[in-house]
Structures are given as structure tokens and as C-alpha cells.
Amino acid sequence: MRVLAVVIAALAFVPAASASTTLTGGVQNTVVPSAIITQAGTELVSWESPSGTISISRSNTAGKTIVTGDPIPGRTQMIQQPSGAIQLYFPNAAGVGRMTSTDDGATWTGPIQTQSHTVGPVEGAAVAPDGTPYFSQDGTGFVNVFLDGMSFKNPINHGGVFGQNFGLGNPFPQIAIQEYQVQTQNFGAETGQAGSAVISAITKTGGNEFHGSVFLEYQPNSFITQPYFDKLNHVPKPDYNRKQYGGEFGGPIIPGKLHFYVAAELTNQFRPGSTGTVNPALFPANLVAQTNIAHSMDFKQGLYFGKLTSYMTDADTLNLIGYLREEDNLSDIDSNATSSHARRIRTTQDRWQVQWRHNAGGFVNQLNVSYDKATQDTPSLSPGPELVLLNSANPDFSNGIESGGHFFQQGDTQKSWTFKDDAILRMGGHSLKLGGQFGFLDLSRSVNNSYNGRYYFANPGPVANFDFNNAQPIQTRIDIAPTPTLSAQDTQIGVYLQDEWKANDHWTVNYGLRWDYESNANNNNYVTPPAIAAALRAYPGWPARGINPEDYISNGSNRQPFYGAFQPRVGLAYDVHGDRDLVLFAGAGRYYDRQLFIQGVIEALTNSTRILPMFFCPGGGAAQGTGTGADAANCMQWSESFRDPATLRALAAQQAGSGGGDVWVLNNKTKMPYSDQFSLGLRKRFGDIQTSVTLSHIRTHNIQMFVRSNFYSNGWFTTVLTPTGCVNGGDQWIIDLTPNGPFPNCAATNAQLTGFNGKLNRGESDGEAHYNALYFSAEKPVTSESKWGFTTALTLQQARSNVAQELNSDEFYNGPNLGTFGWNNVNGVPKWSLVSSGSWRVPADVTLSAELTLNSGPSFGSVIAPWNGLTAPVPQGACCVANFGGVYSPKSTIAYKRLDLRVAKSFKFGGKQEATVSFDAFNVFNWLNRNYSSWGAGGGSPAPLTENSQVGADARAFQVAFKYSF
């Protein structure tokens, strides 16, 4: 039931039998047939004539017609489910249809339309061990997932699938999935709000007979190897375990008229997570022992699905669909944090959907209406406050080791109505697709940032013990008042028109145009608070850097929706011989992925908070300077009563008066991100082996992040004090709280906005990224004649960007411009990767399979600080020089390697009943795969290029599974 296993299985397509087959009666076949040997030993051959007639031959008998008048004759494919049901996939005017036989190919029902709307031959089909079927066709993060035609896009927080930016589980019950289709590039105009990949799935439907299954996957503690560094450091092994189980049941209410289907999947696990990576030479030993362990993470999930299907007429089908997701996991522990600093990730999602499909002649129309409600929040495991040990040399507000409660908690809620209609009209060699979608969303987000306080303690170095309760904080941050919940409404519209033209036996052309619109992408009605607007207009540092404050001051009407999201797309395929043996293909297109609502939310919520930093004199010393706590030179005397967050909050409110803390502002003309994608390749068959090579190029534009924007009055970002005054410290620094000045004999003054004390960030959208890749793949199927097969895929790639930061970040906190460090490789992307899988069907209904994964390891950034080798002068208030692009790569040529093995045995009894027992070994050789982070492997001068941290849940593990179907 693992998502990764499903995606890998989707690559194991089974091509058809030889094109030279002579059918019963001596008729030479004019198209390529498909042949299988059923579980009962019957040989089935299917083929489709040029006139659109699909026939089946059983055990070399005369062909029996099961489909007539198909307007798109082409290759068909057959598979057999573990339950014994046989499915035949064939091309039709609407994409791909499916016929089903439950009596060993004697009689057939259907056709049922699948999720694919790509018109063209079915090149391959396969079935996963859990019964999930896959088929492939020739066709023309931005990731989007569609279930039964409707998107699971997260409209609030970091895109992708709702709940997956933090959650661990599957977004829907995989046992309920009938078919998957995965597209990674150059998808058609009907697909919107995706820039890198689209996963489409269609759910199962109850049939004319009752059917069902139950399954269990189990990993006790003895099956899960303790992570390498925990064992090395003699850390006691927790009670690791994992259980995933579920079932499905469906059948007729009124046979042939009204059917039902229900499914449920549940997961309960306690597994090792990532390992802490702090340097033992810089911190107290007792805190290092609590940090440099594999933090255990629990996870609980329940997924529930139901469908009621009415066959109203021969041409009309009505589905009523319900879906529920409940999830709770302990996660989000930083590599420099103790286990108490974790947050829980809680997700709930409900979806109710009505789907009407009309299929008559050459016209297909599908109407979907859905209502969604989804929530996700991240409560801290401990109530707080947060306790932080500063880095070596005690740079202001640096995070050396984090303990106590997490300072940041958030909650997102979305409610939406979506109306979507897709139509296909077949006209000769053309399939005209047109459709549109209207979405009406209510979005809300709440944030608790530092309300329970953040207490920073001086670092005593590598002593034996350190107790936060007995030490005095020297710095604090606390939010004076709770942050209000931000709510907004948004309307999303998308329309498209596309033509898929089969010009002749050689040429296929797909071309189309899509247009998307969003009414409130950036919280357009937001009004910049008057105090912030006035302070920005009077701020001298921005004009000195050439920044116009009016570009960042919103009056509620100067942020306009973007109307220019037109996306032309074209795909070409040339079949050299007209027999699918050698095919050249190419594609190009533009893809907009919506500007996420989170950007506008960050601006509004941050500016409504009042987080005040305060400095306290070390050792309980008397107040210095003004005694206001504004900085170290004017520190305040500490009192033990300030350990109570309520008392500290009252003190901060008194010190702040009417002033504020951090200020974040968006550019009123923030640009919508998009990518231009190009691909060129060929597919070639060598006997039973299908190969392909593809060259891909992607150019991504308008990457958006908030950048540091505190500048001194002379335009400097940082300043280094000298005996005679000061010099420019440069732009390549992390600096969380810029000292305001003035400094003796120094022109650098007024770094803080008047009336505010904190970070000043502005939104920029001039980030770019380029991606080049060369893909090689080869596949040999398991067939009735050949009982073994393999797939292999090699990717050579280079991803570069002018944004020296992880590209899913909100904040570029290591400089004042996205291009501060110039162009670098992208953080986290390996230079090459190889994934190979193989299977062998041995006697006694036993199947052996293996999967090998190798790659170069991810690129990672560089952090140079006073505690790890920086010798240059450090500017006032700065921490370190940090380039979070892909500066380095692992020293090893193969930095990640993993071999998984599986053996499965099936038992058939009682007609259509079957039981399957399987045993899996993950990372069977227990290879140590390390993490490579900028702060660890990239931390230092010279950088160590390695770190003592293991990839989470990657140590050797075993699993036993059982499935029963009827």
C-alpha cells in the first residue's frame, strides 16, 4: 500500500504479443494483438480490426466479437486481477475504455470509461500485487492530484496535495483505486494548476456481484532495525512498530441499475525519524545526547471512501461519492532540537461529490460538482515556552539547540464548492476537447507565533550538563497579543480547448490553449496598516538601495488579479513505420501554477503581531545604558518572575508602547509563477524490450520569497565596526535582528523602521530556475511465455537557480535579494539516479521481486560561521554566511543505495476466493544512507561534506502481509 510502490509498479507495463501472430482461420492480423494465459490455463487473444471491431479468441477457437463500431481502432491490452477478473483496455473516442470478464473470458461486460482521456493505442498494461491495474499510452510541484476528475490541490499552504506538505500518509485509500495515470511533463490543456506532475486516479465501482477484500501489513519491533547512530551511541531502542490494515466491499443493490462500494484503510505506526546533527564539540553533553538521536515519530491515519452508482440509461451514469481523511502524527523535529520541541500534525478532510457522465456516439460529457472541507493544524507537543541555547559565541537570537515547546503553531481551513465540466467531441481524425472549472473557496489561517515566549540562553560550550531551569536567559522574544485568524474568499476559473488529431498512421498532433484566472491570489483587499505605511515612506534605507516603498504599500485596490495566464501547449508524435516500433515525439507548453494564498497570509498575520525582542544583562547584572532591553548595550535586569510568559508579555507590552515588531510586505505587482517545458525523445522496441530516451528542458520563472530588507541609511545591509568607524559588511549574511545604530564614527544608522523593532522583509518574485535532464528507460515484461521481467530508469539531471535557498521556502533569510549568491545548483537534487526493478514468477504461484535504488545523493548548501571556521570579521548582529543553493555534493559517487526484496505466495480456493501471503525486506543490506544538510555536511570551512545523520525510516526493516479477496 506504499505510495512509492504504486508509482514504481506503474512503470512495469506489459507490451503485446508479436505482430506476426496468425489468428484462427488463417486470417493475418492487421493490428497488434494482446495475449495472456489466465489463472485457469486458458489462452486469450484480443485484437481490434481497422473497422473498430474488438474480438476475443479463447484457446485458439474462433474469435468472438465483444465491441463494435469503435471509432479509434488500435492496440488493446489484457490483464487478470488476483481475484480472477480479466480486464481488457482499448482506445476509443473518449480515451480508453475497459471491458471485464469474470468467467475466464467466456462473457464480457462493459464498456466502462477509464480516467484516461488521451486518445491513442494502449501500449501496455500491468497489475500490481494488490490488484491495482495500470496502462500506458503514447501522449503528448507544482504537482496536482485528481481523484475521480477533481483536484486535491492545497490552495493555502505550499501547494501540492492538501495535507501532504507536512503529513506522512496517503491522501486517499489506495485499496479503493481502480486505475492510476501519471504524467510528468507536457500534459494537455485540460490540466491546470500544475507545473511538474499530474497524478490522475479513478476509484472502484461496485459490480453485479458482491466482492471484497481485507488486508494487513505488519512490522513488529523486531522487524525494524535501530538506526545506525542510535545503536552506535547506545541509545535504548524504543518499541517501534507499524500496522496498516483495511478492507473493501461492493456489489449490487439493484443489479445492473444501482451498485455500491465502500473501502477503509487505517495505519498506526511508531517509527524512527531523522537524526539530530549538532556538533558535540560546541554544546553541553547532556543536550547533545537528547538531540543527536533518531527522534521517534508516531502516526495514525484513517481513510474512508464510499460510492453509490446509478446506471440511469445506457448512456448516462450517476455517481454519488463520499471521502473522509483523519490523520495525526508526531513530526517536525528540527535537526538541532530535542524531542520535546516537536509538533503534532493533524489533518481532517471531507469531500462530497456528484458525478454525471453521458457517453453517446462520438460525444462524451462529464459533469462534476463537489464540496470540500479540510483542516490542518500543528499544535506543539509541549505547551512551551521555547528554550534555546545560543550557538557558540552567542550570536543574537541564533538557534543552537532548541528545547521546550515549539514557538510556532498554525492552522489552515479551506471550504470550497467546485463545478467542473469536460466534453469530448469526435470528428473524423479529430478529438475536440473543451471544458471549464469554477471554484469558490473560503480560506482561513491562524498563527500562534511566540505567544508563549522564546527564551535564549548563553552557550557554556561542551560542559557535561546544562539545565535551562537553573540558567538565566539573556535574550527573549514574545508576542504581546494573540494573532487574529485571517479569512478570505477566492474564485478560481479555468477554461480550455484542445484538439487531438490523428493525421494518419504516422503523425499524431495535440494542440490546445488553456486560460486560468484567480480573483484573490495575494489577499488583494489587504490594506497596509497606516503606521507601517508611514514608516516605510520615511525609511531612508530603501531609497538608498533603489527600492520604492509605494510598490509595497497596499491601499486595498492596487493589487489587481492577473488576467494573462494563457497557456499554449503542443505535442507531436511520429511513428516511423506506422507499427509503434520506432516513435519520435516532442512537446512544448507553458504551465501556470497559482500564486499560493500563504504569501498574502504571511504579510497580514505578521503585521498584526507584535513580537518584541528583549535583552537581559547576564548573570542577573544591573541594567545597562537605557535599561530598556532594546539591545545588549541597553540590557534590562533579569527577574525570575519573567519565566512566566504572562509576566514577560506584560513587560514587553510596557516596553513596546505603541510600537511593533517584525514587518513583512508583498510587492503589489507580485508575478504569477510559471514554467515553460520542452521535451524531445524516441521510443524503440527490441524484441520484448521497450526502450526510450528523452531530453527535457524546463525554465521556471517568477519564483517568489520574502527577502531580508533592513538597510542602513547609507544603503548597507550589514556593517562591520573598526577602530576608526565602520565598513560595509556585505550582503551575504544571515541576520535576524539588525542593530539600529548609531555606531561611533559610522554613517550606518536607522536600520530599523521607526516605531518597530524586528525583521523587515519584502516579497520579491524575480527568482528563476533551469532544469535539464536526460532520461533512459528499458522494460521487459513478464508474459505467459517469459516468466521474468525488469524495468530500469536512469536519470542524468542538472537543476540550477539564482535563488540560493530551498525552493519551497517562504523566506530568503540569508540575504537582501534572491540573486545575492548568483546561480547555483538547486539544493536537494541529485546529479543522477538509477531505479531498477525485476520480478520472477516461479512455480507454485510464487512471485519474487526486487527493487534497487541508487543515486549520487542530494546537493547541499554551505554555512560558514565563527564556530566552524569563519575568520573574517562578523557584522553587527549577523550570524553567518549561508549559501543554501547546491554548493556541494556528497564525497561518495553513490551516496544513496537501497535494495528491497519481496516474495509472495497465492492460494486459490472456493472458486473466486484467494489468499496471498507476502514478505518484504527493505534495505536488505542495511546500507547507511546519510542526510546531507547545509548546516551539517556543508557547515564549516572547509566543509566536512558528510554528517552523522541517517535518512529517516531507512534502516533495514521487514514486513509481513496478508490479503484475502472474494
Side-chain angles (χ1 to χ4, degrees):
M1 291 300 170
R2 294 172 299 146
V3 176
L4 178 60
V6 173
V7 174
I8 295 300
L11 300 175
F13 298 123
V14 182
S18 170
S20 62
T21 303
T22 299
L23 303 179
T24 302
V27 178
Q28 184 69 33
N29 186 24
T30 55
V31 294
V32 181
S34 172
I36 65 170
I37 302 297
T38 70
Q39 297 168 2
T42 303
E43 180 180 6
L44 294 182
V45 178
S46 68
W47 69 94
E48 183 168 15
S49 71
S51 63
T53 298
I54 300 177
S55 303
I56 294 286
S57 171
R58 299 180 76 233
S59 299
N60 207 32
T61 61
K64 176 182 178 180
T65 298
I66 62 172
V67 174
T68 61
D70 179 24
I72 308 292
R75 172 178 292 171
T76 62
Q77 292 288 336
M78 285 187 293
I79 62 169
Q80 186 166 27
Q81 292 279 349
S83 64
I86 302 165
Q87 296 172 330
L88 181 145
Y89 293 91
F90 65 96
N92 61 19
V96 175
R98 182 181 71 246
M99 300 291 292
T100 302
S101 173
T102 58
D103 54 7
D104 200 44
T107 62
W108 295 79
T109 60
I112 298 296
Q113 195 64 34
T114 71
Q115 180 72 17
S116 173
H117 300 309
T118 300
V119 177
V122 184
E123 291 299 308
V127 62
D130 65 358
T132 303
Y134 306 92
F135 59 87
S136 66
Q137 293 175 271
D138 293 337
T140 53
F142 300 78
V143 177
N144 206 345
V145 172
F146 293 87
L147 183 66
D148 287 326
M150 302 300 280
S151 172
F152 268 67
K153 188 77 170 181
N154 184 347
I156 302 178
N157 195 341
H158 295 99
V161 179
F162 188 90
Q164 297 303 104
N165 54 324
F166 294 120
L168 298 177
N170 298 323
F172 41 75
Q174 305 226 353
I175 196 172
I177 299 304
Q178 182 70 39
E179 294 152 3
Y180 275 100
Q181 186 184 40
V182 181
Q183 296 171 281
T184 57
Q185 194 173 344
N186 295 125
F187 19 90
E190 69 268 31
T191 301
Q193 295 187 2
S196 62
V198 171
I199 302 173
S200 300
I202 189 170
T203 56
K204 296 177 182 177
T205 300
N208 271 324
E209 297 181 355
F210 291 105
H211 62 88
S213 68
V214 293
F215 76 93
L216 169 67
E217 297 176 355
Y218 181 52
Q219 292 178 291
N221 188 33
S222 59
F223 278 22
I224 303 173
T225 303
Q226 188 176 20
Y228 176 83
F229 293 106
D230 277 18
K231 191 173 183 179
L232 184 68
N233 295 323
H234 307 291
V235 176
K237 181 183 179 182
D239 186 19
Y240 297 135
N241 64 84
R242 179 182 182 272
K243 296 181 287 292
Q244 185 173 6
Y245 50 96
E248 58 177 341
F249 183 61
I253 299 175
I254 303 175
K257 292 293 185 180
L258 185 64
H259 298 173
F260 76 94
Y261 175 82
V262 293
E265 271 184 28
L266 297 98
T267 303
N268 192 332
Q269 70 181 37
F270 186 68
R271 295 291 304 275
S274 59
T275 310
T277 60
V278 299
N279 187 343
L282 303 177
F283 298 98
N286 65 320
L287 293 184
V288 171
Q290 298 174 45
T291 303
N292 287 358
I293 61 174
H295 301 286
S296 301
M297 299 183 182
D298 64 30
F299 173 73
K300 296 180 180 180
Q301 183 185 59
L303 301 168
Y304 311 92
F305 177 83
K307 179 192 283 188
L308 192 64
T309 302
S310 172
Y311 299 99
M312 300 183 294
T313 70
D314 290 342
D316 297 282
T317 302
L318 183 69
N319 287 310
L320 303 178
I321 301 169
Y323 160 81
L324 173 64
R325 174 185 182 184
E326 296 179 340
E327 184 176 305
D328 183 2
N329 67 279
L330 175 65
S331 185
D332 196 29
I333 305 176
D334 296 333
S335 61
N336 62 329
T338 66
S339 295
S340 69
H341 197 259
R343 294 185 293 182
R344 304 206 68 84
I345 314 296
R346 303 184 301 193
T347 304
T348 62
Q349 185 174 8
D350 303 332
R351 167 172 289 184
W352 305 98
Q353 180 178 344
V354 178
Q355 182 184 79
W356 170 44
R357 185 177 184 85
H358 176 78
N359 186 351
F363 179 72
V364 178
N365 190 82
Q366 182 166 287
L367 174 66
N368 284 285
V369 179
S370 69
Y371 173 75
D372 280 87
K373 180 181 179 182
T375 63
Q376 185 177 67
D377 65 353
T378 62
S380 174
L381 178 65
S382 303
E386 182 183 61
L387 309 174
V388 181
L389 193 68
L390 295 167
N391 276 310
S392 182
N394 300 317
D396 295 343
F397 301 104
S398 60
N399 288 38
I401 291 181
E402 303 163 339
S403 191
H406 203 291
F407 76 97
F408 188 85
Q409 302 174 58
Q410 58 187 324
D412 296 334
T413 299
Q414 69 171 71
K415 300 177 182 179
S416 63
W417 281 97
T418 304
F419 303 84
K420 183 182 180 186
D421 191 77
D422 300 278
I424 303 174
L425 180 61
R426 175 65 182 171
M427 300 178 296
H430 296 266
S431 291
L432 188 65
K433 298 182 178 182
L434 66 160
Q437 174 176 312
F438 293 83
F440 305 95
L441 296 86
D442 289 314
L443 309 175
S444 65
R445 178 172 172 81
S446 61
V447 167
N448 180 336
N449 186 349
S450 305
Y451 187 69
N452 288 326
R454 308 178 70 182
Y455 293 74
Y456 296 81
F457 296 78
N459 184 354
V463 298
N465 288 284
F466 178 85
D467 187 351
F468 286 109
N469 294 321
N470 294 327
Q472 181 216 302
I474 60 173
Q475 298 156 14
T476 63
R477 276 181 170 152
I478 194 164
D479 187 5
I480 296 173
T483 304
T485 297
L486 176 66
S487 300
Q489 295 182 328
D490 189 25
T491 299
Q492 299 177 7
I493 301 173
V495 294
Y496 68 90
L497 177 65
Q498 179 169 315
D499 182 24
E500 295 185 353
W501 178 30
K502 178 67 174 178
N504 51 44
D505 289 341
H506 300 280
W507 283 102
T508 300
V509 183
N510 300 323
Y511 53 95
L513 180 66
R514 181 179 182 88
W515 177 74
D516 285 297
Y517 164 84
E518 187 167 3
S519 66
N520 189 19
N522 286 315
N523 195 20
N524 295 347
N525 296 326
Y526 175 72
V527 176
T528 305
I532 293 178
L536 288 174
R537 291 185 174 109
Y539 187 55
W542 277 17
R545 294 285 293 213
I547 302 170
N548 184 356
E550 299 301 329
D551 291 339
Y552 299 86
I553 298 173
S554 177
N555 59 20
S557 60
N558 56 350
R559 293 181 180 177
Q560 299 300 319
F562 179 59
Y563 295 94
F566 291 96
Q567 301 152 79
R569 301 173 187 180
V570 61
L572 303 172
Y574 179 68
D575 188 342
V576 176
H577 306 296
D579 59 358
R580 322 304 296 177
D581 179 71
L582 177 62
V583 179
L584 307 175
F585 58 89
R590 174 162 291 186
Y591 302 86
Y592 277 93
D593 198 1
R594 60 183 298 273
Q595 185 71 30
L596 296 173
F597 188 67
I598 184 75
Q599 308 298 338
V601 167
I602 289 175
E603 175 188 46
L605 292 184
T606 302
N607 293 342
S608 66
T609 64
R610 298 178 64 195
I611 299 175
L612 191 73
M614 290 186 292
F615 291 77
F616 293 92
C617 302
Q624 302 293 312
T626 62
T628 59
D631 52 36
N634 297 284
C635 61
M636 185 182 304
Q637 187 171 20
W638 172 256
S639 168
E640 283 298 303
S641 65
F642 298 156
R643 291 188 188 272
D644 178 8
T647 303
L648 182 67
R649 193 179 304 114
L651 172 68
Q654 178 182 351
Q655 296 300 114
S658 59
D662 294 348
V663 172
W664 295 41
V665 288
L666 270 178
N667 193 310
N668 296 324
K669 296 181 180 179
T670 297
K671 300 174 184 178
M672 192 75 73
Y674 70 93
S675 64
D676 291 324
Q677 302 183 7
F678 309 89
S679 64
L680 178 67
L682 63 86
R683 286 181 289 270
K684 179 70 177 75
R685 188 184 302 114
F686 297 94
D688 290 337
I689 299 176
Q690 178 73 41
T691 64
S692 70
V693 57
T694 305
L695 177 64
S696 173
H697 176 68
I698 302 174
R699 304 178 73 89
T700 301
H701 309 270
N702 302 339
I703 297 173
Q704 199 275 336
M705 291 183 191
F706 288 92
V707 301
R708 289 285 194 266
S709 301
N710 289 94
F711 297 107
Y712 290 103
S713 55
N714 60 356
W716 292 357
F717 179 59
T718 63
T719 183
V720 174
L721 301 186
T722 68
T724 58
C726 63
V727 295
N728 188 348
D731 288 352
Q732 297 179 346
W733 294 93
I734 292 178
I735 182 166
D736 280 343
L737 183 63
T738 305
N740 187 57
F743 307 105
N745 302 314
C746 181
T749 60
N750 298 320
Q752 293 290 329
L753 281 178
T754 301
F756 297 85
N757 189 29
K759 294 184 291 187
L760 172 58
N761 280 357
R762 75 189 194 282
E764 291 296 285
S765 56
D766 55 355
E768 303 282 333
H770 296 165
Y771 177 79
N772 295 293
L774 190 60
Y775 307 104
F776 300 91
S777 69
E779 308 168 17
K780 181 193 177 300
V782 177
T783 66
S784 57
E785 294 82 14
S786 174
K787 299 183 182 300
W788 65 275
F790 73 91
T791 69
T792 187
L794 172 65
T795 301
L796 308 177
Q797 61 186 352
Q798 183 185 54
R800 292 182 61 80
S801 175
N802 67 342
V803 182
Q805 181 61 264
E806 298 177 7
L807 296 186
N808 61 347
S809 300
D810 295 316
E811 186 180 15
F812 187 92
Y813 53 86
N814 44 323
N817 301 100
L818 294 182
T820 296
F821 291 87
W823 283 80
N824 294 269
N825 291 333
V826 173
N827 189 305
V829 178
K831 295 179 180 178
W832 63 269
S833 63
L834 175 69
V835 179
S836 297
S837 63
S839 60
W840 182 26
R841 193 168 59 209
V842 299
D845 290 324
V846 174
T847 300
L848 307 177
S849 58
E851 179 180 305
L852 175 67
T853 302
L854 306 172
N855 66 53
S856 64
S859 59
F860 52 95
S862 165
V863 178
I864 307 175
W867 60 84
N868 65 18
L870 179 65
T871 57
V874 178
Q876 294 294 297
C879 153
C880 37
V881 177
N883 181 342
F884 292 114
V887 179
Y888 299 118
S889 294
K891 291 186 292 186
S892 301
T893 303
I894 302 176
Y896 184 92
K897 52 186 178 181
R898 173 171 169 152
L899 176 65
D900 299 341
L901 302 177
R902 184 176 193 267
V903 58
K905 162 68 177 173
S906 296
F907 304 88
K908 299 179 177 66
F909 54 93
K912 298 180 181 180
Q913 299 183 70
E914 182 176 4
T916 301
V917 178
S918 62
F919 184 80
D920 293 85
F922 307 112
N923 194 1
V924 65
F925 294 115
N926 201 27
W927 285 320
L928 173 61
N929 294 310
R930 298 174 184 262
N931 288 311
Y932 294 91
S933 67
S934 303
W935 293 90
S941 179
L945 304 183
T946 188
E947 63 184 73
N948 290 338
S949 171
Q950 187 172 4
V951 173
D954 194 64
R956 178 170 53 212
F958 304 101
Q959 175 179 277
V960 62
F962 171 79
K963 182 176 182 180
Y964 167 71
S965 59
F966 60 92

